[in-house]
Amino acid sequence: MHKHAPGIKVLWVFTLIVGLLLAGSAAVTIIAEDGVITTQHWMLIGLGSVKIIGACIGLWMFHRSD
């Protein structure tokens, strides 16, 4: 995978950062709104966690391909 797609690691790192930003923004707004959790917060947390898990699996597969 290293020889054929050198930019794939950048994609996984970008996906990880986006996931962290989504989940982090939900956490910050929950804290700012005195702990009130809305459907939008659950959606952001869910989407962020899925992106984080996907990025971790992608990076793990990338490093295993050596």
Side-chain angles (χ1 to χ4, degrees), residues 14-55:
F14 176 75
T15 304
L16 180 65
I17 291 169
V18 169
L20 290 171
L21 287 174
L22 286 171
S25 68
V28 167
T29 55
I30 290 170
I31 292 169
E33 295 175 0
D34 297 326
V36 178
I37 302 176
T38 63
T39 304
Q40 181 182 4
H41 294 128
W42 284 115
M43 288 174 38
L44 286 174
I45 291 169
L47 182 61
S49 63
V50 166
K51 289 189 105 22
I52 291 168
I53 292 168

Side-chain angles (χ1 to χ4, degrees), residues 43-66:
M43 288 174 38
L44 286 174
I45 291 169
L47 182 61
S49 63
V50 166
K51 289 189 105 22
I52 291 168
I53 292 168
C56 289
I57 291 171
L59 285 169
W60 174 69
M61 289 174 61
F62 180 80
H63 287 292
R64 270 189 59 150
S65 67
D66 289 339

